[in-house]
Amino acid sequence: MSHPTIPLSLDELRELSLWTADCAERALPVFEAVAPDDRRPRDAIEAVREFGAGGNRTKAIRTGAFGALKAAGEMVDPAAEAAARAAVGAAGSAYLHPFAAATQVKHIVAAAQYAAYALELVSGEQADGDAVIRWAIERVPATVREVLARYPDGSAGRGRLGELHRRLESALRQPSTS
């Protein structure tokens, strides 16, 4: 199935990448508390932040994403796994494809969604996940809202992760109040 192409600039991807790096970084201490010597999620975030700051989309971003994904798969602790997946989401944002496909929305929201889930799992309180979602919404650049508006509604999935996705995506599709 072929999807229509969406206009998407490198500068827009850079702004998205910086925001997703900020979101994923919120959960990094959760991962590092469980695996203090494992730099893979941190490396993924640092690589995408370098791109966001004007660097090239290099192999380091993909390597970081795959490393963080492997780290997530090795975690027994679900909160640490979610934190590593937030780093995967941040690195993946640099590779948002300009295709009008619902699956692409995860490249935009995954870092914040998984960071919220990680912090919620640590405390056992949904309010902590909700607070991360609010934090992400308050700090989202207008450019990220504009990019998301070009895509069809995302595929949120089920359960609490799906709920976090839906809440974040819905809020980002609303006009900014600031």
Side-chain angles (χ1 to χ4, degrees):
M1 172 197 257
S2 178
H3 297 285
T5 301
I6 291 175
L8 188 61
S9 75
L10 205 52
D11 287 339
E12 290 171 326
L13 283 176
R14 285 191 168 107
E15 278 198 65
L16 171 62
S17 294
L18 289 173
W19 176 70
T20 62
D22 289 346
C23 292
E25 219 162 45
R26 302 265 306 177
L28 195 54
V30 173
F31 179 85
E32 291 177 339
V34 173
D37 297 327
D38 190 339
R39 286 196 44 89
R40 293 175 291 182
R42 179 173 293 280
D43 290 345
I45 293 168
E46 288 175 0
V48 78
R49 190 175 294 288
E50 186 176 312
F51 164 69
N56 293 322
R57 274 194 302 189
T58 64
K59 183 180 176 192
I61 300 169
R62 284 189 191 272
T63 300
F66 288 125
L69 183 60
K70 187 167 187 201
E74 293 169 2
M75 289 297 106
V76 174
D77 181 275
E81 177 186 350
R85 290 187 185 281
V88 174
S93 70
Y95 292 96
L96 174 66
H97 296 295
F99 306 123
T103 54
Q104 291 304 304
V105 173
K106 286 198 181 206
H107 286 289
I108 299 170
V109 302
Q113 169 192 8
Y114 276 102
Y117 192 55
L119 291 168
E120 182 176 299
L121 288 172
V122 167
S123 70
E125 299 291 330
Q126 286 188 355
D128 290 333
D130 295 340
V132 174
I133 295 297
R134 280 192 308 277
W135 180 92
I137 292 164
E138 289 167 1
R139 286 159 182 79
V140 69
T143 300
V144 173
R145 287 178 184 272
E146 293 164 9
V147 167
L148 177 61
R150 297 177 202 152
Y151 286 86
D153 289 346
S155 304
R158 297 181 184 171
R160 181 62 177 158
L161 268 171
E163 182 181 333
L164 290 166
H165 174 121
R166 282 186 293 282
R167 288 191 50 229
L168 180 59
E169 181 181 352
S170 175
L172 295 180
R173 289 186 182 280
Q174 301 303 313
S176 175
T177 57
S178 57

